[in-house]
Amino acid sequence: MSKRVLTARTLTTESGAPVADNQNSTSAGVGGPLLLQDQHLLEKLARFNRERIPERVVHARGSGAYGHFEVTDDVTGFTHADFLSEIGKRTEVFARFSTVADSLGGADAVRDPRGFALKFYTEEGNYDLVGNNTPVFFIKDPIKFPDFIHSQKRDPFTGRQEPDNVWDFWAHAPEATHQVTWLMGDRGIPASYRHMNGYGSHTYQWTNAQGEAFFVKYHFKTNQGIRSLSSEQAAELAGKDANSHQTDLLQAIERGVHPSWTLYVQLMPAAEAADYRFNPFDLTKIWPHKDYPLQRVGRLVLDRNPDNVFAEVEQAAFSPNNFVPGIGPSPDKMLQGRLFAYADAHRYRLGVNHTQLAVNAPKAVEGGALNYGRDGLMAVNGQGRGAKNYEPNSYDGPAETGRPLSAPLAVSGHTGTHEAPLHTKDDDFFQAGELYRLMSEDEKSRLVANIAGGLSQVSRDDVIEKNLAHFHAADPEYGKRVEEAVRALRED
């Protein structure tokens, strides 16, 4: 008797059985009610109900691509990270870009920071660098983060983003003035993901082979040039194509126009941090380039689109705590909070075994990570028959190296809820004023108009006054112009 073999063109159920009819459900006679025995129908409907996973609370709407990072300059004096160990060395990378505040169904062309997340599949494990397209952020302590995001997302009563909530939070967070100036300025709406810079934003630590520690900030400068949209251009584009940034990135790569960025770093010897004029671990501050010049490291190129957006973009999991030898954390409070929060978000959304998904799996070791974690939802990596699930053991299981990834951080003092230590220039407004004074007259006019457009919609006068005080403190002209613009809009 001949054996019937399924071919690549045979439609099957989840269990692999061939499907006889995918157009008509099984019924009790012609026109009769449907039968519970129709396994194929029930399976299709049940799977359809479960196709979506919880979207990210922030950075929900995103796009991604694969590529590589190539070292162009020697940085071995600052870090012993293997993927940065020699000029010409290439490392596979997956990148994800995103808006921050809106949901998965939002538009790309909106005034919002952009996530800039990179996963380096290094020979020493995955290194995740999770930053934004801005070098600073709105807050400096992670305990404020849930409240900040609540103020920026949809109001639980009205179901929409409320200017009252947005500006009320900023009124009570003077440290946000610097980032607000960035967001409301000309770079607040990138024309595409290809035409924006990326920053690690946080301060990280590099350690060289001799154990010397350096604090580092990452700057990915777009080689396509900076291009941004005005508020009017963005509104028009969002109405025509809500997926404008996704469309641009996908089509550019498909036609062979591969976007690239040049990586530069700022490096501060660890001993200089305590006496620097700004707190070097404050996410609302930059390090001026005249103090710590940019040093070139390499080139990031994206040249391959994902085959499946859900599997590879939505399920991509980036965690700032994924370090490799030679790179580690700093005392940056926001970074410290994210070391927990990001990995925890992925365990909730994707399950404890999310690192076994192809886009997240390390490529350093054949078969995935080597450790003693077992089981859990969707576990697929059994670590081999008979492998022990405890350590230490007498069966040649994976063992510790005894070599720390980075230099230890010095700590002192008493436990407690402390404000960050003040450095000589550590106020909330100086750098915001410096940024304003760097702008051309046209840039200042657009900045003032963008701020006034939102602030004038706030219903409470005291909230408006608190925000105006921040702009006055940053620069008297800045504050005066915003105040006059807000007054004019409210009088109309």
Side-chain angles (χ1 to χ4, degrees):
M1 181 182 294
S2 62
K3 186 177 180 180
R4 191 172 296 172
V5 179
L6 299 178
T7 72
R9 296 186 58 81
T10 302
L11 180 66
T12 74
T13 65
E14 296 287 336
S15 61
V19 174
D21 190 341
N22 194 45
Q23 310 303 315
N24 302 287
S25 303
T26 303
S27 61
V30 177
L34 302 187
L35 300 180
L36 190 62
Q37 72 183 44
D38 191 342
Q39 182 263 349
H40 180 50
L41 169 66
L42 301 186
E43 183 178 80
K44 284 186 72 175
L45 294 179
R47 167 171 275 280
F48 181 75
N49 286 344
R50 293 162 175 80
E51 278 185 358
R52 297 295 174 262
I53 59 176
E55 70 174 41
R56 290 167 168 88
V57 177
V58 289
H59 299 279
R61 182 175 181 84
S63 303
Y66 292 93
H68 65 267
F69 178 79
E70 181 174 353
V71 179
T72 58
D73 294 78
D74 183 12
V75 291
T76 54
F78 306 104
T79 177
H80 64 87
D82 181 73
F83 79 103
L84 299 174
S85 61
E86 57 183 291
I87 293 174
K89 185 159 190 171
R90 285 191 174 190
T91 300
E92 184 182 353
V93 170
F94 182 75
R96 186 178 187 272
F97 310 115
S98 56
T99 55
V100 175
D102 213 342
S103 63
L104 186 58
D108 287 338
V110 293
R111 188 172 297 279
D112 197 17
R114 299 300 190 275
F116 194 102
L118 300 173
K119 186 179 293 292
F120 297 82
Y121 301 99
T122 89
E123 295 172 21
E124 296 179 300
N126 288 355
Y127 172 46
D128 289 356
L129 182 59
V130 189
N132 284 329
N133 72 324
T134 60
V136 293
F137 196 61
F138 299 93
I139 54 175
K140 61 178 97 176
D141 193 302
I143 204 166
K144 293 185 175 185
F145 189 73
D147 299 293
F148 166 63
I149 293 301
H150 287 166
S151 75
Q152 307 297 299
K153 292 182 77 69
R154 296 176 186 270
D155 182 90
F157 174 66
T158 66
R160 64 176 193 172
Q161 189 181 51
E162 291 291 347
D164 276 357
N165 300 356
V166 171
W167 289 96
D168 186 37
F169 183 90
W170 288 343
H172 290 88
E175 70 267 30
T177 308
H178 193 188
Q179 173 73 323
V180 170
T181 304
W182 267 88
L183 179 62
M184 298 298 173
D186 280 359
R187 296 192 183 185
I189 314 177
S192 78
Y193 290 132
R194 297 183 297 129
H195 294 93
M196 68 182 192
N197 290 342
Y199 301 89
S201 300
H202 295 286
T203 299
Y204 296 90
Q205 184 206 87
W206 277 6
T207 309
N208 66 16
Q210 291 72 45
E212 298 173 304
F214 300 83
F215 293 118
V216 60
K217 282 187 175 291
Y218 296 89
H219 302 250
F220 288 83
K221 300 289 190 179
T222 175
N223 295 320
Q224 290 70 239
I226 295 287
R227 283 182 52 202
S228 303
L229 302 173
S230 67
S231 297
E232 296 76 18
Q233 290 171 323
E236 181 179 356
L237 180 58
K240 290 180 177 178
D241 181 8
N243 307 295
S244 57
H245 288 31
Q246 163 69 14
T247 301
D248 176 86
L249 182 65
L250 173 76
Q251 293 183 351
I253 293 175
E254 286 298 293
R255 67 176 185 267
V257 179
H258 298 153
S260 67
W261 289 259
T262 300
L263 171 61
Y264 298 87
V265 294
Q266 290 177 284
L267 291 161
M268 174 189 293
E272 296 181 12
D275 297 324
Y276 186 48
R277 57 191 173 128
F278 306 110
N279 180 352
F281 312 117
D282 182 345
L283 185 56
T284 69
K285 304 287 194 303
I286 63 164
W287 303 352
H289 293 177
K290 64 181 179 182
D291 295 346
Y292 294 97
L294 296 179
Q295 302 185 47
R296 193 176 67 175
V297 179
R299 182 180 176 90
L300 168 70
V301 179
L302 301 180
D303 55 15
R304 179 166 67 87
N305 284 310
D307 293 326
N308 184 289
V309 171
F310 177 79
E312 297 163 88
V313 180
E314 284 309 299
Q315 295 195 124
F318 301 86
S319 298
N321 60 358
N322 287 342
F323 293 115
V324 292
I327 303 177
S330 79
D332 180 334
K333 282 188 174 184
M334 283 294 292
L335 173 61
Q336 293 283 326
R338 294 174 82 203
L339 298 181
F340 162 76
Y342 273 59
D344 187 58
H346 304 320
R347 295 184 192 105
Y348 161 68
R349 291 184 64 245
L350 304 170
V352 71
N353 289 301
H354 65 273
T355 55
Q356 296 181 21
L357 297 171
V359 69
N360 300 320
K363 302 180 187 297
V365 180
E366 186 176 352
L370 295 176
N371 55 47
Y372 295 92
R374 296 290 189 276
D375 306 337
L377 187 67
M378 300 299 293
V380 296
N381 186 357
Q383 304 271 337
R385 183 179 184 184
K388 303 304 178 184
N389 64 343
Y390 59 88
E391 195 278 336
N393 63 59
S394 304
Y395 297 87
D396 296 323
E400 63 194 24
T401 67
R403 297 188 299 272
L405 300 187
S406 57
L409 298 172
V411 296
S412 63
H414 300 282
T415 61
T417 55
H418 305 291
E419 292 186 4
L422 289 178
H423 292 230
T424 57
K425 285 289 187 181
D426 262 346
D427 64 68
D428 293 323
F429 310 110
F430 177 79
Q431 289 198 355
E434 290 282 272
L435 178 58
Y436 174 80
R437 289 184 286 274
L438 283 173
M439 295 180 180
S440 68
E441 178 54 37
D442 286 345
E443 289 174 321
K444 290 178 180 177
S445 296
R446 289 189 291 269
L447 169 67
V448 168
N450 290 335
I451 293 173
L455 189 53
S456 64
Q457 299 178 53
V458 173
S459 62
R460 290 182 50 153
D461 290 342
D462 62 326
V463 173
I464 294 175
E465 291 302 321
K466 286 176 182 176
N467 279 285
L468 291 176
H470 297 167
F471 302 123
H472 279 290
D475 183 276
E477 178 195 283
Y478 186 10
K480 180 181 178 182
R481 292 178 64 169
V482 173
E483 183 173 2
E484 291 174 348
V486 169
R487 184 185 304 117
L489 288 172
R490 287 173 69 81
E491 289 174 351
D492 284 349

